[in-house]
Amino acid sequence: MSPDDDGYGNDSGRSNDAYSTLGGTRQTRTRLPDAQGGDGYGPRRPARKSRSLLTVLGVVVLLLAAIAFANMGGGDGDNGGSGARGSDAKKPGSAPTAATGTKPVTGKNGSIPSGFAHDEQGAQSAASNFAVALGSVEMFKKDTRHAIVDSVYTPEAAGKLRAPQDAAYSPTFLDKLGLDANGNAPQGNTFVSRTVPVGTKLESFDAGTAKVSVWYMGLIGMSGPGSTDPVRTSWKTWTVELTWANKDWKAVSDSQKDGPAPVPGDVAASSSDEISKAVEEYGGFTYAR
């Protein structure tokens, strides 16, 4: 990734994007009866006979049994259970972003997950985690940037990227972001740079290569007293070409574009202190398809 004059950019001859950052669990929805009365089947009338009471109890028991069955994954393809297996995700009617339940990685290469599965979901998991790494604060420091690039890309691709990226992350560029020549924020300030994947799309796949698009929200800016570059959000789609090498997925090339971006919400912006505290207290995730 190569930054431009006012934010992140890209790393493979792509067009630069201002302040672009790079690098669900399937929910069970329970449909409850209309809550107009105690059992959901209309206003409750006083039980006049023991037979009426037994009938009501029987209905409640059946209802609870149906809910339990749905939560176990016995419902239709739209709702499904939280314990969906990999084969369930391919059944007709399954939600395209449903979690498979397969463990995403088996280890880590430094701070970056590694050991992704040699299949479609493994490629998507790899792309999501690579996006997070490439959009992190560590990309603004030379040593950690080199480590990230070496971990994410193939040796050949990393070798071509290293020098251009070092030139792009120049002291002048870092100064525009409020950082010193080594990528450090001023004392009492917190530099924020995060990528939050929203979803992935498998563009193509075969045994040795994959192409994955990652839709993500980025956070970028300086939080602290007197900051003129407050933390804000951006929405991007990052597309990466992957290859299977040394029993893991590695990036070969990538590109990026703006959006899709939702309508901004009406939540008031938090103070600089709140943002700094949140960044320190809330860690990131290992993302899995």
Side-chain angles (χ1 to χ4, degrees):
M1 242 178 8
S2 300
D4 57 17
D5 59 354
D6 59 353
Y8 300 136
N10 47 63
D11 43 8
S12 301
R14 308 188 305 264
S15 60
N16 291 328
D17 299 304
Y19 289 104
S20 60
T21 57
L22 283 181
T25 302
R26 194 178 186 183
Q27 297 178 344
T28 301
R29 295 175 294 186
T30 303
R31 187 172 298 170
L32 297 175
D34 185 29
Q36 298 178 7
D39 57 11
Y41 292 88
R44 183 187 292 263
R45 296 188 178 94
R48 297 179 180 178
K49 297 182 180 180
S50 59
R51 180 179 302 176
S52 299
L53 178 59
L54 290 175
T55 300
V56 171
L57 290 176
V59 171
V60 172
V61 170
L62 290 175
L63 176 61
L64 293 176
I67 293 174
F69 182 74
N71 286 337
M72 291 173 63
D76 57 31
D78 180 57
N79 291 341
S82 59
R85 295 187 294 266
S87 60
D88 295 334
K90 294 184 178 296
K91 290 181 179 179
S94 293
T97 55
T100 61
T102 302
K103 187 175 181 180
V105 293
T106 57
K108 281 192 174 184
N109 186 354
S111 60
I112 304 174
S114 64
F116 296 97
H118 189 191
D119 55 21
E120 295 181 2
Q121 71 170 18
Q124 293 177 77
S125 295
S128 296
N129 285 282
F130 291 168
V132 171
L134 292 170
S136 66
V137 172
E138 285 72 22
M139 284 294 292
F140 293 81
K141 300 179 180 181
K142 185 176 182 179
D143 291 343
T144 51
R145 178 171 64 251
H146 286 181
I148 290 172
V149 171
D150 289 342
S151 297
V152 168
Y153 293 90
T154 62
E156 182 180 3
K160 293 179 180 179
L161 287 171
R162 199 172 295 114
Q165 282 191 340
D166 288 347
Y169 285 91
S170 65
T172 300
F173 167 72
L174 295 175
D175 182 66
K176 290 182 179 180
L177 298 177
L179 303 171
D180 65 20
N182 295 316
N184 298 309
Q187 186 174 3
N189 290 262
T190 301
F191 180 62
V192 181
S193 179
R194 287 197 183 186
T195 296
V196 184
V198 177
T200 59
K201 177 184 178 183
L202 188 69
E203 305 287 355
S204 63
F205 179 86
D206 60 36
T209 63
K211 184 177 181 180
V212 181
S213 292
V214 181
W215 179 35
Y216 73 88
M217 181 191 73
L219 301 176
I220 182 71
M222 185 73 72
S223 178
S227 172
T228 59
D229 185 25
V231 179
R232 54 195 176 279
T233 61
S234 64
W235 290 88
K236 307 282 182 178
T237 298
W238 181 63
T239 301
V240 59
E241 299 271 0
L242 300 169
T243 187
W244 184 255
N246 296 323
K247 298 182 179 181
D248 210 351
W249 290 108
K250 295 292 182 180
V252 177
S253 62
D254 50 4
S255 61
Q256 184 168 260
K257 64 180 182 180
D258 292 335
V263 176
D266 56 0
V267 179
S270 298
S271 67
S272 178
D273 288 342
E274 289 178 301
I275 294 295
S276 296
K277 185 177 180 181
V279 170
E280 293 172 358
E281 292 181 346
Y282 293 89
F285 295 95
T286 295
Y287 287 84
R289 172 64 176 86

Short mmCIF file of all heavy atoms in Angstrom, two decimals, residues 90-124:
data_model
loop_
_atom_site.label_atom_id
_atom_site.label_comp_id
_atom_site.label_asym_id
_atom_site.label_seq_id
_atom_site.Cartn_x
_atom_site.Cartn_y
_atom_site.Cartn_z
N LYS A 90 -23.36 -24.13 1.77
CA LYS A 90 -23.51 -24.31 0.34
C LYS A 90 -24.90 -24.78 -0.06
O LYS A 90 -25.18 -24.98 -1.22
CB LYS A 90 -22.45 -25.30 -0.16
CG LYS A 90 -21.03 -24.77 -0.04
CD LYS A 90 -20.03 -25.74 -0.63
CE LYS A 90 -18.62 -25.20 -0.56
NZ LYS A 90 -18.46 -24.00 -1.36
N LYS A 91 -25.77 -25.04 0.91
CA LYS A 91 -27.12 -25.48 0.59
C LYS A 91 -27.91 -24.36 -0.05
O LYS A 91 -27.75 -23.20 0.30
CB LYS A 91 -27.83 -25.94 1.87
CG LYS A 91 -27.27 -27.25 2.44
CD LYS A 91 -28.03 -27.66 3.68
CE LYS A 91 -27.52 -28.96 4.25
NZ LYS A 91 -28.24 -29.35 5.47
N PRO A 92 -28.78 -24.68 -1.01
CA PRO A 92 -29.62 -23.64 -1.62
C PRO A 92 -30.41 -22.91 -0.55
O PRO A 92 -30.97 -23.51 0.36
CB PRO A 92 -30.53 -24.45 -2.55
CG PRO A 92 -29.77 -25.70 -2.85
CD PRO A 92 -29.02 -26.01 -1.57
N GLY A 93 -30.43 -21.59 -0.64
CA GLY A 93 -31.20 -20.79 0.30
C GLY A 93 -30.36 -20.29 1.46
O GLY A 93 -30.81 -19.46 2.22
N SER A 94 -29.12 -20.78 1.60
CA SER A 94 -28.28 -20.31 2.69
C SER A 94 -27.87 -18.88 2.43
O SER A 94 -27.64 -18.47 1.29
CB SER A 94 -27.02 -21.19 2.82
OG SER A 94 -27.37 -22.49 3.23
N ALA A 95 -27.76 -18.10 3.50
CA ALA A 95 -27.32 -16.72 3.37
C ALA A 95 -25.90 -16.71 2.83
O ALA A 95 -25.05 -17.46 3.29
CB ALA A 95 -27.38 -16.02 4.72
N PRO A 96 -25.58 -15.86 1.83
CA PRO A 96 -24.25 -15.87 1.22
C PRO A 96 -23.13 -15.47 2.16
O PRO A 96 -21.99 -15.76 1.90
CB PRO A 96 -24.40 -14.86 0.07
CG PRO A 96 -25.53 -13.98 0.48
CD PRO A 96 -26.47 -14.88 1.23
N THR A 97 -23.45 -14.79 3.25
CA THR A 97 -22.42 -14.39 4.20
C THR A 97 -22.49 -15.20 5.49
O THR A 97 -21.96 -14.81 6.51
CB THR A 97 -22.55 -12.89 4.55
OG1 THR A 97 -23.87 -12.63 5.04
CG2 THR A 97 -22.30 -12.04 3.33
N ALA A 98 -23.15 -16.34 5.45
CA ALA A 98 -23.28 -17.16 6.64
C ALA A 98 -21.94 -17.73 7.06
O ALA A 98 -21.13 -18.13 6.24
CB ALA A 98 -24.25 -18.32 6.37
N ALA A 99 -21.70 -17.76 8.37
CA ALA A 99 -20.45 -18.32 8.89
C ALA A 99 -20.47 -19.83 8.71
O ALA A 99 -21.50 -20.47 8.85
CB ALA A 99 -20.30 -17.96 10.36
N THR A 100 -19.33 -20.41 8.40
CA THR A 100 -19.26 -21.85 8.18
C THR A 100 -18.97 -22.62 9.45
O THR A 100 -19.22 -23.81 9.53
CB THR A 100 -18.17 -22.17 7.17
OG1 THR A 100 -16.92 -21.72 7.69
CG2 THR A 100 -18.44 -21.50 5.84
N GLY A 101 -18.39 -21.96 10.43
CA GLY A 101 -18.07 -22.64 11.67
C GLY A 101 -16.69 -23.28 11.66
O GLY A 101 -16.23 -23.82 12.65
N THR A 102 -16.01 -23.23 10.52
CA THR A 102 -14.67 -23.79 10.42
C THR A 102 -13.65 -22.85 11.02
O THR A 102 -13.70 -21.65 10.78
CB THR A 102 -14.30 -24.06 8.95
OG1 THR A 102 -15.27 -24.94 8.39
CG2 THR A 102 -12.92 -24.67 8.83
N LYS A 103 -12.71 -23.38 11.80
CA LYS A 103 -11.68 -22.56 12.42
C LYS A 103 -10.89 -21.84 11.34
O LYS A 103 -10.39 -22.47 10.40
CB LYS A 103 -10.76 -23.42 13.27
CG LYS A 103 -9.75 -22.63 14.09
CD LYS A 103 -8.94 -23.54 14.99
CE LYS A 103 -7.95 -22.73 15.83
NZ LYS A 103 -7.15 -23.61 16.73
N PRO A 104 -10.72 -20.49 11.43
CA PRO A 104 -10.11 -19.73 10.34
C PRO A 104 -8.62 -19.98 10.15
O PRO A 104 -8.14 -20.01 9.03
CB PRO A 104 -10.39 -18.28 10.73
CG PRO A 104 -10.52 -18.31 12.22
CD PRO A 104 -11.18 -19.62 12.53
N VAL A 105 -7.87 -20.11 11.21
CA VAL A 105 -6.42 -20.26 11.10
C VAL A 105 -5.90 -21.24 12.12
O VAL A 105 -6.56 -21.58 13.10
CB VAL A 105 -5.70 -18.90 11.30
CG1 VAL A 105 -6.01 -17.94 10.17
CG2 VAL A 105 -6.08 -18.28 12.63
N THR A 106 -4.67 -21.67 11.88
CA THR A 106 -4.03 -22.60 12.81
C THR A 106 -2.86 -21.96 13.54
O THR A 106 -2.30 -22.54 14.45
CB THR A 106 -3.52 -23.83 12.05
OG1 THR A 106 -2.62 -23.42 11.02
CG2 THR A 106 -4.68 -24.59 11.42
N GLY A 107 -2.45 -20.78 13.13
CA GLY A 107 -1.30 -20.15 13.80
C GLY A 107 -1.19 -18.69 13.43
O GLY A 107 -2.11 -18.10 12.88
N LYS A 108 -0.03 -18.11 13.72
CA LYS A 108 0.23 -16.71 13.42
C LYS A 108 1.65 -16.54 12.89
O LYS A 108 2.57 -17.26 13.27
CB LYS A 108 0.03 -15.84 14.66
CG LYS A 108 -1.41 -15.53 14.99
CD LYS A 108 -1.52 -14.43 16.03
CE LYS A 108 -2.96 -14.01 16.25
NZ LYS A 108 -3.07 -12.87 17.20
N ASN A 109 1.79 -15.59 11.99
CA ASN A 109 3.09 -15.18 11.49
C ASN A 109 3.34 -13.80 12.05
O ASN A 109 2.92 -12.80 11.49
CB ASN A 109 3.10 -15.18 9.96
CG ASN A 109 4.46 -14.90 9.39
OD1 ASN A 109 5.40 -14.61 10.12
ND2 ASN A 109 4.58 -14.98 8.08
N GLY A 110 4.01 -13.73 13.20
CA GLY A 110 4.11 -12.48 13.92
C GLY A 110 2.76 -12.16 14.52
O GLY A 110 2.20 -12.95 15.27
N SER A 111 2.22 -11.01 14.15
CA SER A 111 0.90 -10.62 14.65
C SER A 111 -0.21 -10.92 13.65
O SER A 111 -1.38 -10.65 13.92
CB SER A 111 0.90 -9.12 14.99
OG SER A 111 1.18 -8.35 13.83
N ILE A 112 0.15 -11.49 12.50
CA ILE A 112 -0.82 -11.74 11.44
C ILE A 112 -1.21 -13.21 11.41
O ILE A 112 -0.34 -14.08 11.41
CB ILE A 112 -0.23 -11.34 10.07
CG1 ILE A 112 0.21 -9.86 10.11
CG2 ILE A 112 -1.25 -11.54 8.96
CD1 ILE A 112 0.92 -9.42 8.87
N PRO A 113 -2.50 -13.52 11.41
CA PRO A 113 -2.93 -14.92 11.34
C PRO A 113 -2.35 -15.61 10.11
O PRO A 113 -2.14 -14.98 9.06
CB PRO A 113 -4.45 -14.81 11.24
CG PRO A 113 -4.77 -13.50 11.88
CD PRO A 113 -3.64 -12.59 11.51
N SER A 114 -2.08 -16.89 10.23
CA SER A 114 -1.56 -17.67 9.11
C SER A 114 -2.10 -19.09 9.22
O SER A 114 -2.77 -19.44 10.18
CB SER A 114 -0.02 -17.69 9.12
OG SER A 114 0.46 -18.34 10.29
N GLY A 115 -1.81 -19.90 8.20
CA GLY A 115 -2.30 -21.26 8.20
C GLY A 115 -3.74 -21.36 7.76
O GLY A 115 -4.51 -22.17 8.28
N PHE A 116 -4.13 -20.55 6.78
CA PHE A 116 -5.51 -20.55 6.30
C PHE A 116 -5.81 -21.81 5.50
O PHE A 116 -4.92 -22.39 4.87
CB PHE A 116 -5.76 -19.30 5.43
CG PHE A 116 -5.63 -18.01 6.19
CD1 PHE A 116 -4.45 -17.29 6.16
CD2 PHE A 116 -6.68 -17.53 6.96
CE1 PHE A 116 -4.31 -16.10 6.86
CE2 PHE A 116 -6.55 -16.34 7.67
CZ PHE A 116 -5.37 -15.63 7.62
N ALA A 117 -7.07 -22.21 5.52
CA ALA A 117 -7.48 -23.41 4.81
C ALA A 117 -7.31 -23.25 3.31
O ALA A 117 -7.48 -22.16 2.76
CB ALA A 117 -8.94 -23.74 5.14
N HIS A 118 -6.97 -24.36 2.65
CA HIS A 118 -6.77 -24.34 1.21
C HIS A 118 -8.11 -24.56 0.51
O HIS A 118 -8.33 -25.58 -0.17
CB HIS A 118 -5.76 -25.42 0.81
CG HIS A 118 -5.32 -25.34 -0.62
ND1 HIS A 118 -4.61 -26.34 -1.24
CD2 HIS A 118 -5.51 -24.37 -1.56
CE1 HIS A 118 -4.37 -25.99 -2.49
NE2 HIS A 118 -4.91 -24.80 -2.71
N ASP A 119 -9.01 -23.62 0.72
CA ASP A 119 -10.32 -23.68 0.09
C ASP A 119 -10.87 -22.28 -0.05
O ASP A 119 -10.17 -21.29 0.25
CB ASP A 119 -11.28 -24.58 0.89
CG ASP A 119 -11.41 -24.17 2.35
OD1 ASP A 119 -11.11 -22.99 2.67
OD2 ASP A 119 -11.80 -25.01 3.18
N GLU A 120 -12.11 -22.17 -0.50
CA GLU A 120 -12.69 -20.85 -0.77
C GLU A 120 -12.79 -19.99 0.49
O GLU A 120 -12.47 -18.81 0.49
CB GLU A 120 -14.07 -21.01 -1.41
CG GLU A 120 -14.03 -21.65 -2.78
CD GLU A 120 -15.41 -21.78 -3.40
OE1 GLU A 120 -16.39 -21.33 -2.76
OE2 GLU A 120 -15.51 -22.33 -4.51
N GLN A 121 -13.27 -20.58 1.58
CA GLN A 121 -13.42 -19.78 2.79
C GLN A 121 -12.06 -19.41 3.37
O GLN A 121 -11.89 -18.35 3.97
CB GLN A 121 -14.26 -20.51 3.83
CG GLN A 121 -13.59 -21.69 4.49
CD GLN A 121 -14.41 -22.21 5.66
OE1 GLN A 121 -15.59 -21.91 5.76
NE2 GLN A 121 -13.79 -22.97 6.52
N GLY A 122 -11.05 -20.27 3.18
CA GLY A 122 -9.71 -19.94 3.64
C GLY A 122 -9.14 -18.74 2.91
O GLY A 122 -8.49 -17.88 3.50
N ALA A 123 -9.40 -18.66 1.61
CA ALA A 123 -8.94 -17.52 0.82
C ALA A 123 -9.61 -16.23 1.28
O ALA A 123 -8.97 -15.18 1.39
CB ALA A 123 -9.22 -17.77 -0.66
N GLN A 124 -10.91 -16.31 1.57
CA GLN A 124 -11.63 -15.12 2.03
C GLN A 124 -11.18 -14.70 3.43
O GLN A 124 -11.08 -13.51 3.73
CB GLN A 124 -13.13 -15.40 2.00
CG GLN A 124 -13.67 -15.58 0.59
CD GLN A 124 -15.14 -15.91 0.56
OE1 GLN A 124 -15.99 -15.05 0.75
NE2 GLN A 124 -15.46 -17.17 0.33
#
